[in-house]
Amino acid sequence: MNVELVMQELEALGKERMKKMYMSNGAHEPLFGAATGAMKPIVKKIKINQPLAEELYATGNYDAMYFAGIIAEPNAMTEADYDRWIDAAYFYMLSDYVVAVTLSESDIAQEVADKWIASGEELRMSAGWSCYCWLLGNRLDVEFSEAKISDMLDMVKNTIHDSPERTKSAMNNFIYTVGISYLPLHEKAIETAKAIGIVEIKRDKKKNSFLNAYESIQKEVDRGKLGFKRKHVRC
């Protein structure tokens, strides 16, 4: 399939209700409003196709950009490619759920995510922390440096309340993910969550939200989810 055919199929999947929902979260035109689950039959036909993924991502259409992340070949992308993708990710559903997810399946994931976290730019930082969430929730604990993850927990504790809004959300999710999916630092994640307390996220045109990583961790522990790992990150 070429880019024109994929765009036609995505447009046919568009629903006004989904379009409004995406836009309420920060998406803007062009977009069709295709449900992500409805894209699976197209994915089966294409599978992995990096050149097509690049063409689709470059359209600036939210649905096409999301679809590009599903069919991309993570290890075919260089750091410069990921930087180009994050530059075009104009809101968190792209930065955290497309670019960060794709990056998390690459061999350079931690290297790139570390640079994004240190960038000082809201969505880059958010994507960097989110990438670690996807990594920790999927890869074996032995693939990570315990000292490094411990230092990252300290960084979150010391900076989360002064960080940009989307970065706060991703940092809070990092604490939660360490607490559930990275057993060596489960106890430290709980201590960190307690020390941080409630995290307020200010949102344009919506009520502020309040996050509590400690409560979220405890709920999952009570459900028997301690040590949970995803089989796959991408759809």
Side-chain angles (χ1 to χ4, degrees), residues 112-128:
V112 175
D114 289 344
K115 291 179 181 178
W116 289 356
I117 287 170
S119 71
E121 298 173 28
E122 182 171 13
L123 290 183
R124 258 183 164 74
M125 294 165 72
S126 179

Side-chain angles (χ1 to χ4, degrees), residues 50-196:
Q50 183 61 30
L52 181 56
E54 289 289 1
E55 286 188 83
L56 289 165
Y57 198 84
T59 64
N61 177 294
Y62 169 68
D63 303 273
M65 295 171 84
Y66 185 94
F67 189 82
I70 304 174
I71 65 166
E73 173 48 73
N75 279 321
M77 295 177 67
T78 65
E79 182 176 343
D81 292 326
Y82 283 109
D83 282 338
R84 180 164 44 78
W85 276 39
I86 197 65
D87 283 341
Y90 62 85
F91 78 122
Y92 80 95
M93 287 172 68
L94 288 170
S95 62
D96 295 14
Y97 297 102
V98 177
V99 186
V101 168
T102 307
L103 175 62
S104 75
E105 293 200 353
S106 75
D107 295 336
I108 58 172
Q110 292 192 51
E111 175 188 340
V112 175
D114 289 344
K115 291 179 181 178
W116 289 356
I117 287 170
S119 71
E121 298 173 28
E122 182 171 13
L123 290 183
R124 258 183 164 74
M125 294 165 72
S126 179
W129 288 107
S130 293
C131 182
Y132 269 95
C133 294
W134 297 115
L135 286 166
L136 290 162
N138 171 251
R139 300 192 186 186
L140 297 174
D141 289 348
V142 294
E143 295 186 43
F144 302 92
S145 160
E146 184 176 336
K148 178 180 181 179
I149 302 300
S150 179
D151 287 346
M152 291 174 75
L153 283 173
D154 291 337
M155 186 192 306
V156 172
K157 183 171 72 172
N158 295 330
T159 64
I160 188 168
H161 291 295
D162 298 317
S163 294
E165 303 308 309
R166 283 311 316 175
T167 309
K168 280 185 192 176
S169 182
M171 286 174 139
N172 188 81
N173 197 34
F174 175 79
I175 302 168
Y176 160 81
T177 305
V178 175
I180 295 301
S181 296
Y182 187 65
L183 293 180
L185 291 174
H186 167 71
E187 293 298 333
K188 179 164 183 175
I190 288 176
E191 292 168 11
T192 304
K194 285 180 179 178
I196 286 168

